[in-house]
């Protein structure tokens, strides 16, 4: 005990060593890496004021409005643009559509020196919203729109509720929409006289407009302007007489009109509807329409390529409703509607729909290089009237997972077997295909293995692709950047959720 006491308090002698044992304390554990602080949504502050424009009355400063993304200056559009004008993108500024807003005045069915010849230009990133349910924008015959966004800065047309942060993934019918009118031929003339010797005397009237608004003529190459990289959200409010607008309604627009890279989101009626005219579109996305996603009628000659359509689960009718005014089912009113689609991916999800495609009225139809993905036991193609079957609808390189109970349906003189034969007569069609899509709409191994049809045989407007479906593979990203996400369909790497306004840093 005395020996141990002599060792002192700072060392312990180990038997047999004659030396000290050095006890080292363990190194302290590294401090935990803190979780990254979520980046807050940029909060917008209101612009100082409204820009100056040329049209009578100018823009009206309506104060500010505050929503989830911040506070904005509100600049109300005039009731009519009577001079060519530009709406610039200004951070913290929104353009309000208060009721009906006209671009120019109707110049009639025939071009003349009396045309108002107004062009409304809208810059990338600009946001316009309907201040009321009855708000909508109309580009009249003889005038144009130049709304050209960019892949990472789309132009957005939306509703007041969307600005306030009140819209959800299930909202719709919050404002009217956008209407383009032109002088290209239409059928089903408003005076009831079909097949006139002078096509320019065959006009149609815009549904639901309180003031008679006409379109149509005999200028197939007419131009209503250019619209690219844009979204139209929460549209379709019921106007006069129970009629509803779509997100984008076209009436008699000509082939000189350019429309591509655009998205319809949650339209309470059709996603888009074409009344006559010559319609050419590429890179089209329609999500969540409450009625038909694509509605084509009254003599429209329409070519669409690279089309993604997705229905909401609890609403929506057909993916396509195609009609032509063939009252007696023999000769009908001319021109006969003709819809041609290449490279589409249709996601039929609505429990309220009995078929994906409905063809009737003697309309002509071609669907090539496309995928129809159906949830539930529903019909792929319904074809009404023998005159429609007589138009020899074309299906080529089309695959689908049709329901087993009644995959094809005929009515008004057409049998189910005849519709099935029309579908199967084309090359590389399969109504019982095992869908392998990834990310909901991108081709998988099954779709990649299907031989493609050359759509340039239908129209020189189409690109010749070596794949079916709207999106070839993971490297094909034409839908990114200018779309918005929802519970119905997610695109990623874009301007954010459809329930919020995009904010650009």
């Amino acid at each position: 005990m005395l020996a141990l006491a002599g060792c002192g308090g700072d060392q312990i002698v180990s038997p047999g060593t004659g030396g000290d044992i050095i006890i080292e304390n363990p190194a302290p554990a590294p401090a935990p890496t803190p979780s990254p602080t979520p980046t807050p949504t940029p909060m917008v502050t209101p612009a100082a004021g409204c820009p100056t424009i040329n049209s009578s009355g100018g823009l009206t400063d309506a104060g500010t409005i505050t929503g989830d993304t911040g506070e904005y200056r509100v600049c109300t559009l005039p009731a009519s643009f009577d001079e060519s004008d530009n709406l610039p993108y200004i951070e913290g500024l929104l353009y309000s559509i208060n009721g009906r807003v006209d671009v120019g005045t109707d110049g009639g069915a025939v071009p003349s020196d009396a045309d108002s010849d107004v062009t409304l230009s809208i810059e990338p990133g600009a946001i316009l919203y309907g201040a009321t349910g009855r708000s909508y924008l109309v580009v009249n015959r003889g005038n144009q729109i130049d709304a050209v966004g960019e892949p990472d800065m789309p132009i957005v047309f939306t509703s007041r509720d969307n600005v306030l942060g009140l819209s959800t993934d299930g909202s719709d019918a919050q404002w009217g929409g956008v209407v383009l009118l032109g002088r290209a031929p239409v059928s089903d003339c408003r005076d009831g006289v079909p097949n006139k010797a002078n096509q320019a005397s065959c006009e149609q009237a815009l549904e639901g407009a309180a003031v008679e608004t006409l379109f149509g003529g005999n200028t197939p190459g007419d131009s209503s302007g250019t619209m690219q990289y844009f979204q139209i959200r929460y549209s379709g409010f019921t106007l006069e007489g129970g009629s509803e607008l779509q997100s984008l309604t076209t009436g008699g627009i000509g082939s000189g009109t350019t429309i591509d890279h655009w998205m319809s989101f949650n339209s309470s009626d059709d996603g888009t509807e074409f009344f006559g005219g010559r319609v050419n579109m590429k890179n089209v996305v329609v999500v969540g329409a409450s009625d038909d996603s694509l509605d084509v009628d009254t003599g429209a000659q329409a070519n669409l390529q690279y089309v993604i359509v997705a229905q909401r689960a609890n609403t929506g009718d057909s993916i396509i409703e195609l009609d032509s005014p063939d009252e007696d089912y023999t000769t009908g009113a001319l021109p006969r509607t003709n819809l041609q689609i290449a490279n589409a991916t249709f996601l039929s999800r609505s429990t309220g729909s009995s078929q994906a495609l409905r063809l009737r009225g003697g309309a002509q139809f071609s669907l090539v290089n496309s995928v129809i993905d159906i949830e539930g036991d529903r019909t792929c193609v319904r074809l009404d009237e023998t005159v429609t079957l007589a138009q020899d609808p074309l299906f080529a390189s089309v695959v689908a997972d049709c329901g087993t109970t009644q995959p094809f349906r005929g009515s008004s003189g057409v049998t189910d077997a005849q519709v099935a034969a029309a579908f199967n007569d084309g090359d590389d069609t399969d109504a019982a295909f095992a869908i392998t899509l990834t990310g909901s709409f991108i081709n998988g191994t099954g779709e990649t293995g299907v031989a493609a049809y050359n759509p340039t045989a239908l129209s020189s407007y189409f690109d010749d692709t070596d794949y079916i479906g709207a999106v070839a593979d993971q490297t094909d990203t034409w839908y990114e950047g200018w779309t918005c996400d929802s519970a119905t369909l997610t695109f990623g790497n874009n301007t954010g959720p459809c329930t919020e306004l995009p904010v650009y840093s």
Side-chain angles (χ1 to χ4, degrees), residues 178-229:
V178 178
V179 180
L180 303 183
L181 304 178
R183 290 169 164 148
V186 300
S187 62
D188 197 21
C189 314
R190 68 189 177 106
D191 60 8
V193 180
N195 309 329
K196 296 183 177 183
N198 179 14
Q199 183 67 42
S201 65
C202 182
E203 298 174 288
Q204 279 266 15
L206 178 65
E207 294 180 354
V211 178
E212 185 175 65
T213 304
L214 302 179
F215 58 88
N218 196 24
T219 309
D222 190 40
S223 174
S224 297
T226 300
M227 298 188 75
Q228 296 174 308
Y229 295 105

Side-chain angles (χ1 to χ4, degrees), residues 244-411:
E244 295 172 308
L245 291 175
Q246 289 62 236
S247 61
L248 179 62
T249 302
T250 69
I253 66 170
S255 59
T257 307
T258 298
I259 304 175
D260 60 67
H261 293 88
W262 79 277
M263 178 181 185
S264 167
F265 179 71
N266 280 23
S267 172
S268 70
D269 193 34
D270 303 320
T272 184
E273 185 165 10
F274 312 144
F275 293 96
R278 303 289 190 266
V279 182
N280 294 318
M281 294 184 182
K282 288 179 178 174
N283 306 103
V284 178
V285 176
V286 178
V287 175
S290 294
D291 192 8
D292 305 305
S293 299
L294 304 171
D295 196 340
V296 183
D297 47 41
T298 59
Q301 312 292 292
N303 298 314
L304 278 68
Q305 190 170 25
Y306 313 119
V307 182
I308 299 172
V309 172
Q311 292 178 314
R312 282 182 278 168
N314 59 350
T315 187
D317 194 1
S318 303
I319 297 286
I320 292 175
E321 183 177 56
L322 179 65
D323 202 358
S324 198
D326 203 330
E327 289 85 356
D328 60 4
Y329 303 124
T330 53
T331 57
L334 300 177
R336 189 182 298 278
T337 304
N338 186 0
L339 172 61
Q340 303 183 132
I341 298 179
N343 296 96
T345 299
F346 296 149
L347 308 178
S348 178
R349 300 290 185 258
S350 174
T351 55
S353 173
S354 58
Q355 69 274 320
L357 314 181
R358 186 177 184 183
L359 320 177
R360 60 184 179 183
Q364 297 172 323
F365 181 66
S366 299
L367 179 66
V368 303
N369 295 345
S370 295
V371 180
I372 306 173
D373 185 11
I374 296 181
E375 283 188 358
D377 190 10
R378 291 195 294 278
T379 297
C380 267
V381 182
R382 173 180 171 178
L383 194 152
D384 302 344
E385 301 116 22
T386 55
V387 68
T388 312
L389 184 66
Q391 303 309 314
D392 296 322
L394 170 66
F395 299 89
S397 298
V398 177
V399 298
D401 53 350
C402 305
T404 57
T405 302
Q406 193 178 25
F408 300 99
R409 179 183 173 189
S411 68

Side-chain angles (χ1 to χ4, degrees), residues 459-472:
S459 170
S460 60
Y461 176 74
F462 291 124
D463 302 326
D464 182 11
T465 62
D466 59 0
Y467 60 91
I468 70 168
V471 181

